[in-house]
Amino acid sequence: MPHHIRPATSVSDPLTSSPHLPEQDAILVTGGAGFIGSHTVVQLLSLGLRLVIVDNLCNSSEEALHRALELAGNKGELFFHKVDLLDGAALEKVFELYTFSACIHFAGLKAVGESSQIPIGYYQTNVTGTLNLLQLLQRYNCRNFIFSSSATVYGLPSSTDPIREDASLGALNPYGRTKQYIEEILRDIANSEPNQWNIIMLRYFNPVGAHESGRIGEDPNGIPNNLMPFVAQVAIGRRPVINVFGNDYETPDGTGVRDYIHIVDLARGHVAALNKIQSFSMGAHTSVHNSNGTKSLGCVPYNLGSGIGYSVMDMIESMSKAVGRQLPYRVIERRLGDVALCVADPTLSAHDLDWRAEKTLQDMCNDLWRWQIQNPNGYEARVATAASGTEEEDEEEGTLREDSDVASVASTSSASLPETSPSTPTPGELAPSVFASLPVTLLPIISTIAKPAPVMISAESLKAVTAATPLVKPVVATQVPVVSPAGSPARGATAC
């Protein structure tokens, strides 16, 4: 049985519009317990939707789902299955339990530096896991798909102009290439079945911040390699100083400029994408046509960014204002491959999805600080992990992560992390367990699995589970060894 996580009373944050999906259908959310996933879950639950979360919890926390239900104010329904996308048999069991109207796909590994160390593991988890998912979606006739892509697919910008969706692609590392290859696969799938697929690929830039309540946020595993989680840890006293990589770029203050977007705005972008897909499905497709005259959306990429560039010093100063004191930093040598400026052009998202980033830079910093002071050690699961010694080991090893920008200007403490580019980590930076858990062979694609008839569960039977029912582990097939400490978009890292 799945975990049926019952809501607790809390403040709701409902949106004004809903995709109005059929009552008996559910939305599948892979990696829904991660940073971006959990914030999106809040938005969807607030609309009263039924969600099925699939996550292997290797680098995320089930606690985030409990808190998401609180924040949704008893709206919607949430069912959780601890399943790895590489376990095709276990994943199909989930498909047998529900009828899905759409899928939002966050799950995957996403540390750029780590991807250069274990590329086979990244291709297996991200690409093969996605293929497993897509085959089941096709088999069970769910062709509405939202993919968590990344600005890393653009590679190095060819100019300082804001990046549009029609810019050339050229990812520079295995992680980015997995996203780029999946995008190519999605385009091929849409072309192979004309007028059937509605696929939106959301290319994230740099999500930061937290829910304004401070209840859910970014919970890095080990030493953060994203700028703002590290800044927050310096502010709370877990790290001594922020390293700023170079102050001689051709920017107003000499530090690198990136496009940062509030995590709640990013989550809203997924609701906007779902609304867009709904206009081409659920019967509405008979009167709605795409720009090319077809009655399905096909496969379309959209940037999710603010369109505003903020420098590293802008971020530090805004966070200092949120904290109420100047945060310590020092300037060190710039890193090979970093670029001066990388900003999204979000015009297409505004036009097609009616979506725009609304929250300010200070909102991002204020909400991030509220999350940090309320959760100095992250979610409860992370506190328990730290008590067992795993957290300290992670800090010593310096597990690397990467922002979703094209060439991240991250900040780290020189006392705890070698001063190298995150895309070229030195041996020893990655936890030994990463290599110990690397699968020897690739899993076969699940096309040989016999297709059983899907089973619809009535709303009455679902609601029969009472709030007093204890959480139990779902009955699934034997789990495949996990490639790396992730499986949903990494806690503390963006899903891109």
Side-chain angles (χ1 to χ4, degrees):
M1 293 180 61
H3 293 192
H4 187 174
I5 304 178
R6 304 296 296 182
T9 302
S10 184
V11 178
S12 63
D13 183 22
L15 299 181
T16 56
S17 63
S18 168
H20 301 298
L21 300 176
E23 182 176 330
Q24 71 272 22
D25 289 353
I27 298 172
L28 176 62
V29 183
T30 71
F35 175 44
I36 300 175
S38 60
H39 285 79
T40 303
V41 164
V42 172
Q43 300 294 318
L44 297 173
L45 287 174
S46 296
L47 297 172
L49 300 177
R50 175 179 297 162
L51 306 182
V52 175
I53 310 299
V54 168
D55 199 312
N56 68 10
L57 298 181
C58 282
N59 205 17
S60 56
S61 173
E62 187 179 316
E63 176 64 19
L65 297 178
H66 289 275
R67 297 187 186 188
L69 274 165
E70 292 179 11
L71 296 173
N74 290 323
K75 294 183 179 179
E77 289 183 298
L78 188 154
F79 300 88
F80 171 63
H81 295 260
K82 185 179 179 182
V83 172
D84 193 307
L85 295 188
L86 293 179
D87 189 341
L91 186 59
E92 180 146 29
K93 290 181 182 294
V94 177
F95 275 78
E96 292 172 3
L97 292 173
Y98 310 93
T99 296
F100 294 120
S101 57
C103 174
I104 304 177
H105 180 33
F106 294 107
L109 305 181
K110 62 90 43 231
V112 167
E114 182 183 76
S115 75
S116 296
Q117 294 287 325
I118 52 170
I120 291 177
Y122 267 69
Y123 289 123
Q124 181 189 33
T125 299
N126 291 5
V127 179
T128 304
T130 301
L131 286 172
N132 288 350
L133 175 64
L134 288 169
Q135 289 189 65
L136 285 171
L137 289 169
Q138 186 180 54
R139 183 176 302 163
Y140 286 88
N141 198 32
C142 175
R143 289 174 169 79
N144 298 320
F145 190 71
I146 297 173
F147 175 54
S148 173
S149 192
S150 167
T152 56
V153 300
Y154 293 119
L156 291 175
S158 58
S159 73
T160 58
D161 294 333
I163 300 174
R164 295 174 16 146
E165 288 83 352
D166 58 1
S168 61
L169 306 183
L172 302 175
N173 50 71
Y175 161 71
R177 280 188 282 272
T178 65
K179 295 294 187 180
Q180 186 175 340
Y181 296 162
I182 291 169
E183 286 198 4
E184 294 292 344
I185 290 169
L186 293 173
R187 276 186 280 269
D188 287 342
I189 291 172
N191 290 335
S192 72
E193 296 184 302
N195 294 321
Q196 293 192 47
W197 285 89
N198 298 300
I199 300 173
I200 289 180
M201 305 180 298
L202 297 177
R203 294 172 179 167
Y204 309 154
F205 278 69
N206 294 277
V208 297
H211 192 275
E212 63 182 3
S213 67
R215 292 287 290 154
I216 59 174
E218 193 167 6
D219 187 9
N221 182 13
I223 298 175
N225 197 45
N226 296 345
L227 173 62
M228 293 311 290
F230 198 97
V231 171
Q233 290 192 6
V234 170
I236 203 70
R238 292 180 60 184
R239 313 286 173 192
V241 64
I242 306 163
N243 283 347
V244 178
F245 292 91
N247 65 350
D248 56 350
Y249 293 94
E250 295 182 2
T251 61
D253 63 19
T255 62
V257 172
R258 299 290 181 268
D259 188 323
Y260 295 91
I261 176 175
H262 196 292
I263 183 62
V264 172
D265 279 335
L266 189 73
R268 288 177 44 251
H270 293 79
V271 176
L274 197 60
N275 279 324
K276 178 70 173 181
I277 285 177
Q278 187 269 336
S279 70
F280 283 91
S281 58
M282 310 307 170
H285 65 278
T286 57
S287 59
V288 178
H289 288 71
N290 201 6
S291 58
N292 59 9
T294 62
K295 294 182 180 180
S296 71
L297 186 60
C299 183
V300 185
Y302 291 100
N303 287 336
L304 290 187
S306 67
I308 302 172
Y310 299 110
S311 72
V312 174
M313 291 310 304
D314 288 335
M315 305 305 290
I316 293 175
E317 291 305 317
S318 294
M319 193 65 182
S320 296
K321 185 181 296 185
V323 174
R325 58 182 171 82
Q326 181 62 50
L327 299 178
Y329 68 91
R330 66 173 185 173
V331 178
I332 62 176
E333 185 178 357
R334 69 161 72 179
R335 299 176 306 184
L336 181 66
D338 281 353
V339 297
L341 183 145
C342 176
V343 177
D345 181 344
T347 303
L348 188 62
S349 294
H351 180 270
D352 285 9
L353 305 181
D354 193 24
W355 172 89
R356 296 165 184 81
E358 297 177 352
K359 292 182 177 289
T360 67
L361 171 58
Q362 201 57 54
D363 290 333
M364 302 177 204
C365 294
N366 291 345
D367 292 341
L368 172 58
W369 181 234
R370 187 176 300 108
W371 154 258
Q372 187 68 72
I373 58 177
Q374 291 184 22
N375 305 270
N377 293 301
Y379 291 109
E380 294 177 4
R382 296 292 300 146
V383 175
T385 302
S388 68
T390 303
E391 175 72 11
E392 288 78 6
E393 179 182 349
D394 284 344
E395 293 187 8
E396 290 179 4
E397 295 297 338
T399 301
L400 293 178
R401 316 197 170 279
E402 179 70 5
D403 266 328
S404 60
D405 53 349
V406 174
S408 171
V409 181
S411 56
T412 58
S413 168
S414 59
S416 55
L417 185 65
E419 294 172 6
T420 58
S421 168
S423 61
T424 55
T426 58
E429 289 180 304
L430 300 176
S433 60
V434 169
F435 299 96
S437 61
L438 181 62
V440 178
T441 60
L442 295 177
L443 282 175
I445 303 300
I446 59 172
S447 58
T448 58
I449 298 176
K451 176 184 175 182
V455 178
M456 170 70 82
I457 297 180
S458 68
E460 290 73 17
S461 63
L462 288 173
K463 294 178 180 178
V465 182
T466 66
T469 302
L471 294 178
V472 295
K473 291 186 179 298
V475 178
V476 298
T478 302
Q479 295 292 309
V480 176
V482 180
V483 175
S484 176
S488 60
R491 266 184 322 122
T494 58
C496 43

